[in-house]
Amino acid sequence: MKQILIEKSVLENNDKAAAENRAFLNAQKAFTINLMGSPGSGKTSVLENIISSISLNYNMAIIEGDLYTAKDAARIARCNTNVIQINTAGACHLDASMVRKALSHIDTKHLDFLIIENIGNLVCPASYDLGEDIKVVVMSVTEGNDKPLKYPSMFQRCSAVILNKTDLLPMTDFNIEEFYQDVYSLNENVKVFEISCKDGTGVTSLTRFLMGAIRNKKDV
Amino acid sequence: MHELSIIYNVIEIAKEYAEKNSLKKIDKINMSIGEFCCLQEDSLHFAFEGLQKGTLCENAKLHIEVQEAQAYCKNCNLEFKISFTDKLCPYCNAFSHQIMTGYEILVASIEGE
Ligand SMILES: Nc1nc2c(ncn2[C@@H]2O[C@H](COP(=O)(O)OP(=O)(O)OP(=O)(O)O)[C@@H](O)[C@H]2O)c(=O)[nH]1
Ligand SMILES: [Mg+2]
Ligand SMILES: [Zn+2]
């Protein structure tokens, strides 16, 4: 019997592809977000709300990940933005090689801002680095305020949480104090944006944060 | 949910190293996973039973060791054990986001002949 020491990361291939994506996007100085969250939390709605004001100032592109259909890409295309749809046909997360392939199909010359909308799922996407600058989670008040502690990995690894559908707060038992307590216990440095895609509340402070980050990346 | 693709890669790595070291069969695969990586051990074993058939690992056992999560405190220059909801340094009480271990998913070693 022989024992062979390996100590090799199972995600090594993904991490290599992610590092290549990151090098490519850094060379373009394109600020990149990995946008995650449960199905229906409002990821695409958030994009629809921020595109018009950001694209006045910056060149942006969007990669849409879904298991099936190009419905989200069609919604984004209506906002006059570069968009490409990835269909994973069942896979529960995007990986870095899918993003690399998608990047080869979009015009990345002069790109300032790339958003990758991941598959609606609060678990698996958190483990796969895509080459992004930051991870952002969209969570909606109708999901209940216990989600950060039930799905801690994603909330722990993200830089910002967008709490969406605040227009529905009066209709739910969402406990906002508990929500902040839980999120900060996982990640003290996280930024939280309360927004409603329905009535536009909070959208301006989110776009201000994003444009600041885009500008910072241009300046480095 | 992605346990199946994780195990697929585990078996690929095991086969690669078995070949390099001229093993004819693999008896055991030792995996090491961090407690933050959100993999379900039962699902890993279930996926392994499905995918090992017809490979060098046909009769192999999968052993999984869970590594505790640790963060680094830059005030105190030391590493300490953390959980999802407790990342405060036990000495200076500062929150640390510098997670050193907890996310890794490794093939640690294989045994065979
Ligand atoms: N009331 C209310 N409804 C919203 C809000 N934001 C989104 N919705 C609705 O929530 C539903 C899901 O929104 P999407 O933007 O498609 O969600 P998603 O996260 O992109 O969904 P998937 O891509 O399928 O995972 C839609 O019917 C939206 O109209 C909001 O702020 N308030
Ligand atoms: Mg969507
Ligand atoms: Zn300390």
Side-chain angles (χ1 to χ4, degrees), chain B residues 16-52:
Chain B
E16 180 195 331
Y17 280 81
E19 205 165 301
K20 273 189 199 162
N21 293 280
S22 349
L23 296 187
K24 291 200 180 53
K25 70 182 180 68
I26 300 172
D27 299 318
K28 192 171 173 197
I29 300 179
N30 292 304
M31 264 183 96
S32 164
I33 65 176
E35 62 179 317
F36 285 168
C37 69
C38 296
L39 291 172
Q40 235 264 311
E41 282 187 51
D42 289 342
S43 306
L44 290 172
H45 284 292
F46 183 72
F48 187 67
E49 278 167 33
L51 292 177
Q52 72 185 152

Side-chain angles (χ1 to χ4, degrees), chain A residues 40 42-45 47 64-66 72 75 117-118 120:
Chain A
K43 299 176 291 300
T44 310
S45 304
L47 298 181
E64 278 291 340
D66 282 294
D72 280 359
R75 280 168 64 185
E117 180 182 333
N118 217 312

Side-chain angles (χ1 to χ4, degrees), chain A residues 1-11 13 92-93 121 123-125 127-128 149 152-153 156-158 182 184-189, chain B residues 1-2 5-6 9-10 13 16-17 21 23 27 30 36-38 84-87 95 97 99 103 105-113:
Chain A
M1 218 259 312
K2 273 204 279 193
Q3 179 169 24
I4 294 145
L5 287 180
I6 301 178
E7 298 292 332
K8 185 166 162 152
S9 169
V10 174
L11 296 177
N13 288 342
C92 50
H93 59 270
N121 177 335
V123 188
C124 314
S127 306
Y128 291 82
L149 292 192
S153 186
Q156 175 168 297
R157 301 182 90 160
C158 72
D182 294 349
Y184 289 139
S185 78
L186 293 167
N187 180 354
E188 198 177 77
N189 310 319
Chain B
M1 268 191 284
H2 54 293
S5 68
I6 296 285
N9 285 330
V10 166
I13 292 171
E16 180 195 331
Y17 280 81
N21 293 280
L23 296 187
D27 299 318
N30 292 304
F36 285 168
C37 69
C38 296
F84 275 120
T85 51
D86 181 8
K87 302 191 184 75
F95 183 94
H97 206 254
I99 296 174
Y103 290 129
I105 306 171
L106 302 177
V107 178
S109 64
I110 56 175
E111 293 167 29
E113 49 214 300

Side-chain angles (χ1 to χ4, degrees), chain B residues 73-78 80 89-94:
Chain B
C73 175
K74 55 177 186 298
N75 304 330
C76 307
N77 187 27
L78 55 81
F80 59 97
C89 170
Y91 298 95
C92 72
N93 226 29

